[in-house]
């Protein structure tokens, strides 16, 4: 059975894809392979499954990606909001 994706689930999936792509590129640039790529891939895979089924647990996986991305917050492609001082 194919899950019915709501607009809010679709928005969550778009956000997850953006964070995943950003992290994947940064990990490659930093040479953080293969351990981090495996962790990122597993996290993203679980995120997608939960998000496609409307399971709010998806946000925990998205939060992990966002937290990992903070290591690269100074990168010009950082997808999160920046605070200016």
């Amino acid at each position: 059975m194919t899950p019915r994706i709501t607009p809010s689930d679709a928005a969550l999936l778009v956000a997850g894809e953006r964070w995943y792509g950003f992290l994947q590129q940064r990990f490659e640039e930093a040479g953080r392979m293969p351990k981090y790529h495996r962790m990122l891939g597993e996290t993203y895979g679980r995120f997608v499954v939960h998000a496609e089924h409307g399971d709010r647990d998806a946000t925990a996986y998205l939060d992990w990606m966002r937290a990992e991305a903070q290591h690269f917050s100074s990168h010009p492609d950082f997808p999160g909001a920046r605070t200016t001082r």
Side-chain angles (χ1 to χ4, degrees):
M1 182 169 127
T2 303
R4 183 169 177 265
I5 299 175
T6 66
S8 62
D9 294 337
L12 189 65
L13 284 163
V14 168
E17 186 175 325
R18 187 178 68 234
W19 286 103
Y20 171 74
F22 174 79
L23 278 172
Q24 187 177 38
Q25 290 174 346
R26 302 301 74 79
F27 284 174
E28 287 176 8
E29 290 170 1
R32 294 172 75 178
M33 303 168 57
K35 177 184 173 186
Y36 287 98
H37 272 292
R38 181 173 177 213
M39 288 170 42
L40 177 60
E42 288 176 2
T43 300
Y44 182 66
R46 290 175 183 170
F47 162 77
V48 168
V49 168
H50 285 283
E52 285 180 344
H53 288 87
D55 186 345
R56 293 297 110 197
D57 288 341
T59 57
Y61 296 107
L62 183 58
D63 288 344
W64 182 88
M65 289 189 283
R66 287 178 179 151
E68 283 295 309
Q70 292 304 312
H71 297 287
F72 306 102
S73 63
S74 63
H75 194 279
D77 294 336
F78 185 74
R82 288 189 174 78
T83 56
T84 55
R85 294 181 181 157

